[in-house]
Structures are given as structure tokens and as C-alpha cells.
Amino acid sequence: MKKNANSTFGIVGLGRFGTALAITLAEAGKEVIVVDQNEEKVKAMRQYTEYAFVCDNLSKATLSEVGIQNCDTVIVCIGSRIDTSILTTLNVVSLGVPHVISKATSQDQGAVLEKIGAEVVYPER
């Protein structure tokens, strides 16, 4: 994926929030990379973006392979597994993505995500 004048977005996690966000951005003409471990969810997103990847592991190396570091903004939409959410956010931040937004399900999770450099959203509220 090459950077262009339009913003590029990365979405990690295709639950309700991540899927809705990815579809909205793609329909607005934005370039979107989507990553999830569920192959069916990734296949469904291929009608909206050609950059849809199945990743069982969200390590820094794996995220780099799919090109997440080329995005202007990455949204980590993992809410149910707090440890995975925090580690994935840390990996994205350490890859040098300029704007990282992470979904949190609790105040404590949000506080940790802010400490590592992410903007935090609470979509369930």
C-alpha cells in the first residue's frame, strides 16, 4: 500500500465496531487495511478493500508484514481480550503510526492504552 494524498486507515479487529468503521471508511473512499483472525470476517471485508488480512498473531513482525506501519491512523478494535488489545496497541505505536486509536471497555484499560500513546474510545457507552 502506498501513501497518497488521502488518509490511509488500519483496522485491527473486525467485531461490530471494527466492521462498521471499516465499511464506513471504505465507502467514503479511504484506503483501509483490515486485520482479524477470523477468516470469514476478513473474506466479507474484501468487497470493501483489497487489503484484508487474516492474522492469527498480532506481533510487531506480523503487523509490519501486512503494512500497518504505512497507515496514517490505526484503530485497534479489540475489546474482549484486554491483554491482546494492549499488546497490539503497543506494537502499532512502536511501529511509528502517527495516530493510534484504541477501543477500551473499561476505565482501567483506557488508562493503560493512554499511557502507551493511544487515543481511547469507548464505543459501548
Side-chain angles (χ1 to χ4, degrees):
M1 175 181 273
K2 294 183 179 178
K3 286 192 174 190
N4 59 22
N6 288 333
S7 294
T8 55
F9 294 87
I11 308 288
V12 181
L14 292 174
R16 286 182 309 195
F17 177 61
T19 298
L21 187 57
I23 291 170
T24 301
L25 289 168
E27 287 178 343
K30 304 296 182 186
E31 283 194 66
V32 182
I33 294 177
V34 295
V35 178
D36 196 277
Q37 66 181 6
N38 184 309
E39 189 172 344
E40 293 303 314
K41 290 179 179 182
V42 171
K43 280 183 183 177
M45 289 306 300
R46 290 203 173 120
Q47 66 181 314
Y48 300 100
T49 178
E50 59 188 84
Y51 306 109
F53 301 97
V54 178
C55 295
D56 289 330
N57 134 12
L58 295 171
S59 69
K60 190 174 177 180
T62 302
L63 292 169
S64 181
E65 281 177 32
V66 300
I68 228 59
Q69 72 280 4
N70 298 323
C71 296
D72 299 305
T73 301
V74 172
I75 303 97
V76 179
C77 303
I78 302 168
S80 59
R81 296 185 326 258
I82 293 173
D83 57 336
T84 303
S85 167
I86 291 168
L87 291 174
T88 302
T89 301
L90 179 64
N91 289 335
V92 171
V93 168
S94 68
L95 284 169
V97 174
H99 188 208
V100 179
I101 303 169
S102 287
K103 169 185 170 178
T105 55
S106 70
Q107 290 288 6
D108 291 338
Q109 180 185 7
V112 172
L113 292 168
E114 285 177 355
K115 290 273 187 204
I116 58 178
E119 181 180 334
V120 178
V121 294
Y122 299 90
E124 276 83 21
R125 283 191 181 172

